[in-house]
Amino acid sequence: MCVTCRGVAWRDVTRRIPEPQRLKCNLTPELTQSINAAYKHNLEAIANLDLTILQFEDWGKGFVKKARCSPDAFAQLAMQLAYRMDTGRKALVYEASVTRFFSHGRTETVRSLTVESKAFVDAMVDPKATNADRVAKFRAAAEVHSDLYKNAMVGQGVDRHLFGLYLVMRGFKWAKDDDFISQAIRIPWTLSTSQSPQNQTQGRWDPNGKDAKMISPGGGFGPVDKDGYGVSYMFPNDNVIFAHISSKKSSDSTDSSRFKGNIAKALNMIKASIEEDFKSKGK
């Protein structure tokens, strides 16, 4: 069988493609030394990576949609609750948002830690808080988060502007260690997050039906702070939640497996609160 493209046989096309040739590089002693140093550095970074994968199959995006909540907001608030249970502290949270509405648009930062999200986490860990108060604070925090994400998508975030100003200040030697922008840039992101898209082949497969067994957690990334976590999460269908959770073995304050357990616990805590609220309202 001869496959053709615009009337040209594929076998004729392949005959015109030159054979691949091996490139020979002239490695100077300095370049060889740099390559070996980079190789050693990469081996050390890999050995220091504490990576685990959460495959949460108790429930998924289907429940979140029934709860009339943004899946991304749900996940972000669960991670903030998990971080409080994991460390006893709140985290400066980085979430990547796409800016594909713009030509050559890449990302903007969503600062997921807000006054409202802190109030929600405080209520969840307060044994005296009522369930109605917890759910009300959850919904208020979720709404604020969704607004922040939408603003970031249309260029209304703050971080890219701040970073641009910082680079201008550095270029003109105006930056000082104690000025606002320099201090803001240096605050560590102890919880770096991003939601990975799943339906990149829309219409070509059915992740909730016949292709449910073919879903996978994809890839992830490392923490950006030496004492922080990196979490890449995904809602592949209505019944599963995936997350890559990473940290550094050299840190005394992080443990990826422990944090994974706290994320699963936080997800179920929020679900239980919402279900109790539904029951009290006869839904």
Side-chain angles (χ1 to χ4, degrees):
M1 180 178 179
C2 181
V3 180
T4 62
C5 179
R6 296 182 180 179
V8 181
W10 176 249
R11 64 188 178 192
D12 293 333
V13 173
T14 56
R15 288 176 185 150
R16 302 173 192 171
I17 300 176
E19 291 291 326
Q21 295 182 352
R22 182 174 182 174
L23 296 177
K24 296 182 179 180
C25 300
N26 295 320
L27 300 180
T28 64
E30 293 79 9
L31 183 55
T32 300
Q33 184 178 6
S34 296
I35 292 173
N36 290 333
Y39 177 68
K40 180 181 178 182
H41 175 78
N42 283 346
L43 288 180
E44 292 172 349
I46 293 169
N48 193 31
L49 182 66
D50 181 11
L51 172 66
T52 186
I53 296 178
L54 171 66
Q55 186 167 327
F56 187 85
E57 298 179 316
D58 296 355
W59 48 273
K61 185 171 57 178
F63 170 80
V64 180
K65 290 188 290 188
K66 290 179 182 177
R68 296 183 178 181
C69 176
S70 157
D72 189 71
F74 198 106
Q76 286 289 325
L77 292 172
M79 285 188 286
Q80 290 190 38
L81 174 57
Y83 191 89
R84 177 73 69 87
M85 294 189 295
D86 190 80
T87 66
R89 304 185 302 273
K90 57 182 179 294
L92 181 61
V93 187
Y94 174 97
E95 179 185 4
S97 166
V98 295
T99 53
R100 61 169 63 104
F101 289 119
F102 299 91
S103 178
H104 306 297
R106 289 181 58 83
T107 64
E108 175 56 280
T109 303
V110 181
R111 288 181 172 257
S112 301
L113 176 62
T114 62
V115 172
E116 290 79 9
S117 69
K118 178 184 179 300
F120 157 70
V121 172
D122 288 344
M124 290 298 291
V125 298
D126 181 3
K128 297 180 180 179
T130 65
N131 190 68
D133 185 46
R134 289 171 177 168
V135 173
K137 284 182 166 57
F138 168 80
R139 296 207 176 277
E143 183 176 354
V144 168
H145 177 82
S146 294
D147 287 341
L148 286 174
Y149 196 97
K150 292 174 184 175
N151 287 338
M153 288 180 66
V154 296
Q156 296 300 310
V158 299
D159 278 82
R160 298 301 176 265
H161 300 291
L162 284 176
F163 188 64
L165 289 172
Y166 177 71
L167 291 179
V168 171
M169 292 172 63
R170 288 289 300 270
F172 284 99
K173 302 187 184 305
W174 294 341
K176 298 179 180 179
D177 289 341
D178 59 348
D179 62 49
F180 169 76
I181 294 181
S182 296
Q183 291 186 45
I185 291 293
R186 288 198 301 267
I187 299 174
W189 300 101
T190 48
L191 184 53
S192 179
T193 71
S194 180
Q195 181 181 169
S196 300
Q198 174 70 17
N199 293 327
Q200 296 188 22
T201 54
Q202 194 72 30
R204 297 177 60 186
W205 75 320
D206 181 14
N208 283 305
K210 62 182 179 65
D211 298 318
K213 292 184 178 181
M214 298 174 63
I215 59 175
S216 71
F221 50 83
V224 298
D225 183 70
K226 62 182 180 65
D227 293 315
Y229 289 107
V231 182
S232 172
Y233 55 98
M234 178 191 295
F235 298 92
N237 60 22
D238 287 344
N239 306 303
V240 179
I241 301 173
F242 287 135
H244 286 77
I245 301 158
S246 62
S247 60
K248 293 188 176 183
K249 295 178 181 178
S250 56
S251 173
D252 295 329
S253 58
T254 59
D255 184 309
S256 294
S257 295
R258 184 185 69 208
F259 192 45
K260 177 177 74 171
N262 281 322
I263 291 176
K265 182 179 179 181
L267 288 168
N268 283 322
M269 286 173 64
I270 298 174
K271 180 176 183 283
S273 290
I274 292 174
E275 288 179 328
E276 184 178 336
D277 184 64
F278 281 166
K279 186 177 180 179
S280 69
K281 295 176 180 177
K283 294 184 179 180

